[in-house]
Amino acid sequence: MKAAFGGATLMSSSSANAQTTNPYTYRRNWGRWGADDQKGAVNLITPAKRAAAAALVRSGRAVSVGRVFEPSQHYIRVNQRGAGSSAVDYYGFEYHGVTVTHVDAFVHMWDRDGMWNGRDPAKEVDTNGARFGDITAFGDGLITRGVLLDVPRYRNVPHVAIGRPVTGAELEAIAKAQNVNVEPGDALLVYSGRESFVKEAGRYGGVTEPRPGLDSSCARFIRDRDVAVLAWDMHDAVPDTSGHPFPAHAVLYSYGVALIDNSLLEPLARACAEERRYEFMFMALPLKIARGTGSPANPIAML
Amino acid sequence: MKAAFGGATLMSSSSANAQTTNPYTYRRNWGRWGADDQKGAVNLITPAKRAAAAALVRSGRAVSVGRVFEPSQHYIRVNQRGAGSSAVDYYGFEYHGVTVTHVDAFVHMWDRDGMWNGRDPAKEVDTNGARFGDITAFGDGLITRGVLLDVPRYRNVPHVAIGRPVTGAELEAIAKAQNVNVEPGDALLVYSGRESFVKEAGRYGGVTEPRPGLDSSCARFIRDRDVAVLAWDMHDAVPDTSGHPFPAHAVLYSYGVALIDNSLLEPLARACAEERRYEFMFMALPLKIARGTGSPANPIAML
Amino acid sequence: MKAAFGGATLMSSSSANAQTTNPYTYRRNWGRWGADDQKGAVNLITPAKRAAAAALVRSGRAVSVGRVFEPSQHYIRVNQRGAGSSAVDYYGFEYHGVTVTHVDAFVHMWDRDGMWNGRDPAKEVDTNGARFGDITAFGDGLITRGVLLDVPRYRNVPHVAIGRPVTGAELEAIAKAQNVNVEPGDALLVYSGRESFVKEAGRYGGVTEPRPGLDSSCARFIRDRDVAVLAWDMHDAVPDTSGHPFPAHAVLYSYGVALIDNSLLEPLARACAEERRYEFMFMALPLKIARGTGSPANPIAML
Amino acid sequence: MKAAFGGATLMSSSSANAQTTNPYTYRRNWGRWGADDQKGAVNLITPAKRAAAAALVRSGRAVSVGRVFEPSQHYIRVNQRGAGSSAVDYYGFEYHGVTVTHVDAFVHMWDRDGMWNGRDPAKEVDTNGARFGDITAFGDGLITRGVLLDVPRYRNVPHVAIGRPVTGAELEAIAKAQNVNVEPGDALLVYSGRESFVKEAGRYGGVTEPRPGLDSSCARFIRDRDVAVLAWDMHDAVPDTSGHPFPAHAVLYSYGVALIDNSLLEPLARACAEERRYEFMFMALPLKIARGTGSPANPIAML
């Protein structure tokens, strides 16, 4: 049943629920910030929240959370002019997937229930781009308090292994062990030891093969803590017991949580361990690409 | 005459000077941070400098300094899968020029004297990219104290006009009038009223036609203040009395100052006037593109 | 009313006709070669037709009908290896429009009545490409007898002017004056003097402004002669009295005629006048691009 | 030693020969058609040669010699306008290598001796493209008599195997066995059974691994017969006994022979066997890309 909602067509969750096994009707955030909202939980990053994040800075040590990026198409042109010569380049790339550090816009993913805020992708997306929930919604940046949870350290293993996904209860326990709270509007950085896994396995794969990562129960933790941003180095564990595809990615469209995929977290985990701090100022400034489904990024954590 | 310098070939400035009218041999920074340095004046952004920048934050008001970006090639692909559907896109673009807000890497420009630190572009740049001074040199971000100088406000006009370029002495006077100092390692934001000019003139052009902007004397001010980053909305004034092409851009290769072209400064100028503050925390996080000559960006100023 | 037709959904022409002023229900070719046909009037180019075209060759003089092509993205990479060095390039481009000489696939255009053979574009085209009527349908080339009709010569003017479009009756008269028949399966080349027009007007435009070209009555001539390929240097005249958009382009989806837009015809018109021949062997070999809506091309006429 | 030659700098072959083991100084064609020639052996395709090729057509059976092409970047845009709707696409690709059927321009490859006609690539090629020997040199098409030599058939095996490269003496024998001559200006099509090899081996590789193909002695045959075009489905055998990289590709820059790599020859070989004819009309019409190093293509053989 389709019901009008705030001027846009909302795909009814009740009838859809009967069809899906979507675990994220639990405390779903649709409508929480208004029917036309495009910022989701990022609304929780208020000016005061940003100021408090800046106040966390002690030494000013900056650690990059972005991987080096090699666009598929990268070409140089040299304009020799004697004085005033220059080299310019062209970048062409797709960035979603398991390689490039990037920020997902809310429009990027949906399931049978719909997009973020119940919108119908058939109406909001076509070959000319996204009309709702594009990456410009984060045009003022994602600048907030960051908290890193170090899973391998907690487990005393080099990395999260296939078949032993990170769980919500585990994130709870790690925060406690690290003596740090996860608060509303935070950026949650979940370090799973991706580099170590790749060194062993050769690669981190797609969804068609078993891979290590986060379990669907992590989403409940994220929702219960009202996290605004999830930056992770692994993705959804495959398989997941919920039977739901992208069980952790679902926080994007169910809760309006900004996702930063393929984050580089090993150096930051090391810095946090050295400084014995797991909270810091976190900054991710995605490009303001009109109608875009996301943006590559180089986020920075500052201690 | 070519002399070896720190393992790399340095193009002699003395013989070159006889050939050019390059005004930037004045206090040129080549060698100042070592022969193989690729960070230039960005070296002045120490952890302490970054922490001090964070300490400037009061309200946490975030203002974007980046223009909305529409890549020349922008295509969407929708993967309909029932549950777990997604929209992904491809971006393809050149970004140097007068449209896209972007950060220049040091390799981007040179003249007869050479690249940053005296390097020979014929050796450091080829069709496979840049081997020295690429954009990854700023991989930890450009996070520092920002100071905005509002030229139209000072002149009591809507925008800087053709034939009346911004001068170094003027920047000096504006800082005084705004009661703000420009300090080593700062990001200097020079607002020239580009939007107003474009509304009147139709467009902001290239170097082959008269256009308003900054005069070569601004570079001296930038050098004397040891500015690390210049973010501007107009470019070099055309023509310039020095006879030198790109007389302001030259700070890139003569002083190792990071340039952020086509910044969006009107909203920030307005916010600064409202809050009566012209200093703030400034963040620009260029993409870490291997061998790249620069990166599009969405910098943020936080008050 | 939608009716099933040969396993695919056919959009009914009768109900649609009531809605449109489409003049091409006149002798429409839908279903003529079967419900699943993807070659349209190109079916009329039989092996015998091709052999007859080859038999037309006398001197072997080859004249290019393609414009020089400068892809929007064109980048070079040089791989220096001492022995075995190479230069390779990347081409990126859109090609439909008024600039590039290209062949349209049948999927390229449709109106309220539907695509070629009554197919529904909503079913046959999505972001992954075209599933029906793509350019590979012409994978064996468009090799046939070519006939050039020289309109400026007939009118004794340098080019076809705005407001004086080429008409079907005129094409009839030109063929007669040139003492040449237009036969089933032919490639019809209509020369309208585009270079001369552009020299005068500055450019040949899109559909939002008045421009010279072919009138909708030309389509009847094309249908009545069972032409298989239309190669033209101008496009549809704007405006057209039929009120129908793309009144000449409509031969693509109504009659299954292959279109070769932006052909270069001035040199061929000159050669034909010199040799006093208006029939020749014509060859256009579009690229076999899977799911593509067309292909750039360099067709050749051989006298 | 560099000597001036016809206004361009010629790299001396004599001094270079002392450095290389280039077997193609044998009857090298440099200067044969003038110092500034850019058409090489394609000059042998005269109008009379083309007319004679057309006269070979009997049934008009057309067989494609091009593989289906899937550009790396292929995106669709649908412009829904009610009447006059369209689907357009963007193609982006590199095409040199072992996958795409394409024509090499003379500028594409060189070794220590130089490019076609002794030109210096450092002068003729930069990031803005090729200034000499680009693909527009073939702007009137490559239309000539084609001769196919079927190697697997001659050897009574499914395909040419690794370690058993095709030799010049073998091509001689195959022509004799097939009762066909190879004549000046011809397009020589060498079928090596690539599809069969790939079915067995999984893929046809690059130059860094052993692969089946043509031996350097084939080049002598090509030169002695004054072949103008070589269309082949395999490439240079790896390794080659001459020690020269790309020993067969060298015909491009030593003899000015146009190369059509990755041709699809299995269907044509079958058609020739059926019709007991190994000569036919051959047409390849590369795109006229300004400054390009080559072009994808879909050549056609017509019997």
Side-chain angles (χ1 to χ4, degrees):
Chain A
M1 174 199 129
K2 283 186 158 47
F5 188 89
T9 302
L10 173 68
M11 295 175 70
S12 166
S13 54
S14 49
S15 55
N17 274 352
Q19 301 169 26
T20 68
T21 57
N22 185 344
Y24 301 113
T25 54
Y26 168 82
R27 305 192 71 190
R28 178 181 281 168
N29 274 334
W30 291 0
R32 179 173 167 184
W33 294 282
D36 296 322
D37 171 73
Q38 303 192 43
K39 290 181 103 149
V42 174
N43 280 297
L44 299 171
I45 303 178
T46 60
K49 180 74 178 174
R50 284 194 288 260
L56 288 173
V57 175
R58 294 184 198 167
S59 65
R61 174 179 185 173
V63 183
S64 168
V65 164
R67 297 170 187 280
V68 171
F69 179 24
E70 300 207 61
S72 318
Q73 281 72 56
H74 183 188
Y75 300 98
I76 297 259
R77 183 172 292 120
V78 177
N79 303 308
Q80 283 290 3
R81 295 208 179 88
S85 299
S86 64
V88 300
D89 40 15
Y90 177 88
Y91 301 141
F93 52 85
E94 291 196 9
Y95 54 91
H96 287 290
V98 295
T99 305
V100 182
T101 305
H102 68 275
V103 183
D104 287 335
F106 291 155
V107 69
H108 169 56
M109 203 173 277
W110 62 86
D111 74 355
R112 292 193 187 91
D113 282 13
M115 264 178 65
W116 164 246
N117 234 357
R119 287 296 170 96
D120 183 354
K123 292 187 163 42
E124 308 293 357
V125 185
D126 63 27
T127 60
N128 292 305
R131 279 187 287 277
F132 182 85
D134 78 6
I135 192 66
T136 63
F138 307 146
D140 290 340
L142 302 167
I143 301 167
T144 186
R145 173 176 183 260
V147 173
L148 181 137
L149 299 181
D150 188 330
V151 184
R153 182 174 226 253
Y154 178 78
R155 291 185 181 186
N156 198 24
V157 296
H159 55 260
V160 169
I162 293 175
R164 279 210 63 199
V166 182
T167 68
E170 186 171 23
L171 294 178
E172 190 85 60
I174 296 174
K176 192 165 287 183
Q178 288 178 188
N179 196 28
V180 67
N181 291 325
V182 177
E183 298 164 2
D186 276 357
L188 174 67
L189 284 64
V190 179
Y191 172 57
S192 300
R194 177 164 164 170
E195 287 68 35
S196 168
F197 171 78
V198 169
K199 203 173 297 184
E200 185 179 284
R203 51 186 282 274
Y204 187 77
V207 295
T208 56
E209 52 197 282
R211 73 179 183 191
L214 273 59
D215 172 79
S216 55
S217 64
C218 292
R220 292 201 170 208
F221 175 81
I222 285 168
R223 176 59 184 89
D224 287 343
R225 293 283 179 273
D226 256 345
V227 163
V229 180
L230 170 65
W232 49 348
D233 58 348
M234 289 194 177
H235 287 240
D236 313 73
V238 176
D240 183 83
T241 47
S242 73
H244 190 79
F246 298 109
H249 255 89
V251 300
L252 181 78
Y253 51 86
S254 293
Y255 300 138
V257 173
L259 288 177
I260 306 184
D261 293 349
N262 308 313
S263 295
L264 176 70
L265 296 177
E266 189 184 52
L268 180 59
R270 210 169 32 242
C272 287
E274 284 173 26
E275 308 226 357
R276 299 192 200 176
R277 293 187 68 200
Y278 285 91
E279 61 171 4
F280 38 80
M281 180 181 189
F282 179 80
M283 296 156 276
L285 310 184
L287 301 176
K288 276 161 75 170
I289 297 179
R291 301 177 303 286
T293 73
S295 167
N298 177 28
I300 303 288
M302 197 152 72
L303 296 122
Chain B
M1 176 199 127
K2 280 187 158 49
F5 188 91
T9 301
L10 173 66
M11 295 172 70
S12 165
S13 54
S14 52
S15 55
N17 274 353
Q19 301 168 28
T20 68
T21 56
N22 187 342
Y24 300 115
T25 53
Y26 170 80
R27 303 192 72 189
R28 178 180 282 167
N29 275 334
W30 290 0
R32 180 172 166 185
W33 295 281
D36 297 322
D37 171 74
Q38 303 192 42
K39 291 181 102 151
V42 174
N43 280 297
L44 299 172
I45 302 178
T46 61
K49 179 73 178 174
R50 284 194 287 261
L56 288 173
V57 175
R58 294 184 198 167
S59 66
R61 173 180 186 173
V63 183
S64 168
V65 164
R67 296 168 187 280
V68 172
F69 179 24
E70 300 206 61
S72 318
Q73 282 71 56
H74 183 186
Y75 300 99
I76 298 260
R77 183 172 292 118
V78 177
N79 303 309
Q80 283 291 2
R81 294 210 179 88
S85 300
S86 66
V88 299
D89 41 15
Y90 176 87
Y91 300 140
F93 53 84
E94 290 196 8
Y95 55 90
H96 287 287
V98 295
T99 306
V100 182
T101 305
H102 68 275
V103 183
D104 286 336
F106 291 155
V107 69
H108 168 55
M109 203 173 276
W110 61 87
D111 74 357
R112 294 193 188 90
D113 281 12
M115 262 177 66
W116 164 247
N117 233 358
R119 289 295 170 100
D120 183 354
K123 290 185 163 45
E124 308 293 356
V125 186
D126 63 27
T127 60
N128 292 305
R131 278 186 288 278
F132 182 85
D134 78 6
I135 194 63
T136 62
F138 307 147
D140 290 340
L142 302 167
I143 301 167
T144 186
R145 173 176 184 260
V147 173
L148 181 136
L149 300 182
D150 188 330
V151 185
R153 184 175 225 251
Y154 178 78
R155 292 185 180 186
N156 198 24
V157 296
H159 56 259
V160 169
I162 293 175
R164 278 211 62 198
V166 182
T167 67
E170 187 171 24
L171 293 179
E172 191 87 56
I174 296 173
K176 190 166 287 183
Q178 286 178 185
N179 194 29
V180 68
N181 291 327
V182 177
E183 297 163 3
D186 276 357
L188 174 66
L189 284 64
V190 179
Y191 171 57
S192 300
R194 176 164 165 169
E195 287 69 34
S196 167
F197 171 77
V198 168
K199 203 173 299 183
E200 186 180 283
R203 53 185 280 274
Y204 187 78
V207 294
T208 55
E209 51 197 284
R211 73 178 182 192
L214 272 60
D215 171 80
S216 55
S217 64
C218 292
R220 291 200 172 211
F221 175 82
I222 285 168
R223 177 59 185 87
D224 287 342
R225 293 284 179 273
D226 255 346
V227 163
V229 180
L230 170 65
W232 47 348
D233 59 347
M234 289 194 179
H235 287 240
D236 314 73
V238 175
D240 182 82
T241 49
S242 73
H244 190 79
F246 298 109
H249 255 89
V251 300
L252 180 78
Y253 52 84
S254 293
Y255 301 137
V257 172
L259 289 177
I260 306 184
D261 292 349
N262 308 312
S263 295
L264 176 70
L265 295 177
E266 189 184 51
L268 180 59
R270 209 168 34 241
C272 287
E274 284 174 25
E275 309 226 356
R276 300 195 202 173
R277 291 186 71 199
Y278 285 90
E279 61 171 3
F280 38 81
M281 180 181 188
F282 179 80
M283 295 155 275
L285 309 184
L287 301 175
K288 275 160 78 168
I289 297 179
R291 299 179 303 287
T293 73
S295 168
N298 177 27
I300 302 288
M302 197 152 75
L303 294 121
Chain C
M1 173 201 127
K2 281 188 161 44
F5 188 90
T9 303
L10 173 65
M11 295 174 71
S12 164
S13 52
S14 51
S15 57
N17 274 354
Q19 301 169 24
T20 68
T21 56
N22 185 343
Y24 300 113
T25 53
Y26 168 81
R27 303 192 73 189
R28 178 181 280 168
N29 275 333
W30 292 0
R32 178 172 167 186
W33 294 282
D36 297 322
D37 171 73
Q38 304 191 42
K39 292 182 102 150
V42 173
N43 280 298
L44 298 171
I45 303 178
T46 60
K49 180 75 178 172
R50 283 195 287 260
L56 286 173
V57 174
R58 295 185 199 166
S59 66
R61 173 179 186 173
V63 182
S64 167
V65 165
R67 296 170 187 280
V68 172
F69 179 24
E70 301 206 60
S72 319
Q73 281 73 54
H74 183 187
Y75 300 99
I76 295 260
R77 183 173 291 121
V78 176
N79 304 308
Q80 283 289 4
R81 294 207 180 90
S85 299
S86 65
V88 299
D89 40 15
Y90 177 88
Y91 301 141
F93 52 85
E94 290 196 9
Y95 54 91
H96 286 288
V98 296
T99 305
V100 182
T101 305
H102 68 275
V103 183
D104 286 337
F106 291 155
V107 68
H108 169 55
M109 202 173 276
W110 61 88
D111 74 357
R112 294 194 186 90
D113 281 13
M115 263 176 67
W116 163 248
N117 234 358
R119 289 295 172 98
D120 183 355
K123 291 186 163 41
E124 307 293 356
V125 186
D126 64 25
T127 60
N128 292 304
R131 279 187 288 276
F132 182 85
D134 78 5
I135 192 67
T136 62
F138 306 147
D140 290 340
L142 301 167
I143 302 167
T144 187
R145 174 176 182 260
V147 173
L148 181 137
L149 298 182
D150 187 332
V151 185
R153 182 174 225 252
Y154 178 77
R155 292 185 180 186
N156 198 25
V157 295
H159 55 260
V160 169
I162 292 175
R164 277 212 62 200
V166 182
T167 68
E170 186 170 24
L171 294 179
E172 191 86 58
I174 296 174
K176 192 165 286 184
Q178 287 178 187
N179 196 28
V180 67
N181 291 325
V182 176
E183 298 165 3
D186 275 358
L188 174 66
L189 285 65
V190 180
Y191 172 57
S192 301
R194 176 165 165 170
E195 287 68 34
S196 167
F197 172 77
V198 168
K199 204 174 298 185
E200 185 180 284
R203 52 186 281 274
Y204 187 78
V207 294
T208 56
E209 51 197 284
R211 74 180 182 191
L214 273 59
D215 172 80
S216 54
S217 62
C218 293
R220 292 201 170 206
F221 176 80
I222 285 167
R223 176 60 184 87
D224 287 342
R225 293 283 179 274
D226 255 345
V227 163
V229 180
L230 170 65
W232 49 348
D233 60 346
M234 291 193 177
H235 287 240
D236 313 73
V238 175
D240 183 84
T241 48
S242 73
H244 190 78
F246 297 109
H249 255 89
V251 300
L252 181 78
Y253 51 85
S254 293
Y255 301 137
V257 172
L259 289 177
I260 306 183
D261 293 348
N262 309 311
S263 295
L264 176 71
L265 297 176
E266 190 184 51
L268 180 59
R270 208 165 37 239
C272 286
E274 285 173 26
E275 308 226 357
R276 298 194 201 171
R277 292 187 69 200
Y278 286 91
E279 60 171 6
F280 38 80
M281 180 182 191
F282 178 80
M283 295 156 277
L285 310 184
L287 302 176
K288 275 161 77 170
I289 297 180
R291 302 178 301 288
T293 72
S295 167
N298 177 28
I300 304 287
M302 197 151 74
L303 295 121
Chain D
M1 176 199 127
K2 280 185 158 50
F5 189 90
T9 302
L10 174 65
M11 296 174 69
S12 164
S13 54
S14 52
S15 56
N17 274 352
Q19 301 167 24
T20 68
T21 57
N22 186 344
Y24 301 113
T25 53
Y26 169 81
R27 304 192 71 189
R28 177 181 283 170
N29 274 334
W30 291 0
R32 179 172 167 185
W33 294 282
D36 295 324
D37 171 73
Q38 303 191 41
K39 291 181 103 151
V42 173
N43 280 297
L44 298 171
I45 303 177
T46 60
K49 179 73 178 176
R50 284 195 286 262
L56 287 173
V57 175
R58 294 185 198 166
S59 65
R61 174 180 186 173
V63 183
S64 167
V65 165
R67 296 168 188 280
V68 171
F69 179 24
E70 301 207 60
S72 319
Q73 282 72 58
H74 183 188
Y75 300 99
I76 297 260
R77 182 173 292 120
V78 176
N79 302 309
Q80 283 291 3
R81 294 209 179 89
S85 299
S86 65
V88 300
D89 42 14
Y90 177 88
Y91 301 141
F93 53 84
E94 290 196 8
Y95 54 90
H96 287 288
V98 295
T99 306
V100 182
T101 305
H102 68 275
V103 183
D104 287 337
F106 291 155
V107 69
H108 169 56
M109 203 174 276
W110 62 86
D111 74 357
R112 293 194 186 90
D113 281 13
M115 261 176 68
W116 164 248
N117 233 357
R119 289 294 171 100
D120 183 355
K123 289 185 164 45
E124 307 294 355
V125 186
D126 64 27
T127 60
N128 292 305
R131 279 187 288 276
F132 182 85
D134 78 6
I135 193 66
T136 62
F138 307 147
D140 290 340
L142 301 168
I143 302 167
T144 186
R145 174 177 183 260
V147 172
L148 181 137
L149 299 182
D150 188 330
V151 186
R153 183 175 224 251
Y154 177 78
R155 293 185 180 187
N156 199 26
V157 295
H159 56 260
V160 169
I162 293 176
R164 278 211 61 199
V166 181
T167 66
E170 187 170 23
L171 294 178
E172 191 86 58
I174 296 173
K176 192 165 285 182
Q178 288 177 185
N179 194 28
V180 67
N181 292 326
V182 176
E183 299 164 2
D186 276 357
L188 173 67
L189 284 65
V190 179
Y191 171 57
S192 300
R194 176 164 164 169
E195 288 68 35
S196 167
F197 172 77
V198 169
K199 203 173 300 183
E200 186 180 283
R203 53 185 279 275
Y204 187 78
V207 295
T208 56
E209 51 197 282
R211 74 180 180 190
L214 272 60
D215 171 82
S216 55
S217 63
C218 293
R220 291 199 172 211
F221 176 81
I222 285 167
R223 174 61 183 86
D224 288 343
R225 292 282 180 275
D226 255 344
V227 162
V229 180
L230 170 65
W232 48 349
D233 60 347
M234 289 193 179
H235 287 241
D236 314 73
V238 176
D240 182 84
T241 50
S242 72
H244 191 78
F246 298 109
H249 255 89
V251 300
L252 181 78
Y253 52 85
S254 293
Y255 302 137
V257 172
L259 289 177
I260 306 183
D261 292 348
N262 309 311
S263 296
L264 175 71
L265 296 176
E266 190 184 52
L268 179 58
R270 210 169 31 244
C272 287
E274 285 173 26
E275 309 224 357
R276 300 194 200 171
R277 291 186 69 200
Y278 285 92
E279 60 171 4
F280 39 80
M281 181 180 188
F282 178 80
M283 296 156 275
L285 309 185
L287 301 175
K288 275 161 78 168
I289 297 180
R291 301 178 303 286
T293 73
S295 166
N298 177 28
I300 304 288
M302 197 152 74
L303 295 122

